[in-house]
Amino acid sequence: QVQRVESGGGLVQAGGSLRLSCAASGRTVNNYDMGWFRQAPGKEREFVAAISRSGGSTSYADSVKGRFTISRENAKNTVYLQMNSLTPEETAVYYCNHVPYPTKRAIWYWGQGTQVTVSS
């Protein structure tokens, strides 16, 4: 697997936006389809979005379609998740992982994630 660090989380008001980053170290994520997941307190981890290794194909959970955008910048070995119109229910720890497109199945061990807190 590839070591990666998620960042960009924080506290935001409902309706606000955040952009999360997933930066790889040591090895490249450029050869892998990647995705984002989230886990809210007391809930199971759930799929949020995925992107093919070329960046040409993306998929989203129904709950985030039209509001979230996954992208990647292979030159920077980084995957992003732009989140708009956030709701308090989306308070969670967000994680990136290798997700063979078009599945929603994470392959690697989980990292630390980045906390997103949406206040009402």
Side-chain angles (χ1 to χ4, degrees):
Q1 67 169 12
V2 176
Q3 297 298 318
R4 64 262 179 227
V5 176
E6 300 95 341
S7 63
L11 176 63
V12 63
Q13 289 188 333
S17 299
L18 284 173
R19 188 177 81 153
L20 306 183
S21 298
C22 170
S25 63
R27 294 175 60 189
T28 179
V29 293
N30 297 346
N31 294 328
Y32 298 96
D33 303 330
M34 296 294 293
W36 286 92
F37 295 76
R38 64 188 179 190
Q39 186 167 23
K43 295 187 177 181
E44 293 188 355
R45 193 157 11 216
E46 65 174 355
F47 169 82
V48 175
I51 187 167
S52 62
R53 61 183 179 179
S54 70
S57 298
T58 58
S59 65
Y60 298 91
D62 288 344
S63 60
V64 307
K65 282 181 182 176
R67 299 186 298 116
F68 288 16
T69 303
I70 188 171
S71 62
R72 65 192 306 158
E73 190 170 359
N74 286 347
K76 293 188 176 181
N77 208 13
T78 301
V79 179
Y80 303 100
L81 184 68
Q82 176 67 44
M83 307 186 296
N84 299 328
S85 302
L86 284 160
T87 69
E89 292 71 31
E90 292 176 310
T91 293
V93 179
Y94 285 70
Y95 304 87
C96 66
N97 207 309
H98 169 37
V99 181
Y101 195 89
T103 76
K104 300 177 181 179
R105 180 170 51 94
I107 300 297
W108 295 332
Y109 292 111
W110 297 104
Q112 299 277 11
T114 185
Q115 175 71 47
V116 172
T117 302
V118 185
S119 63
S120 57

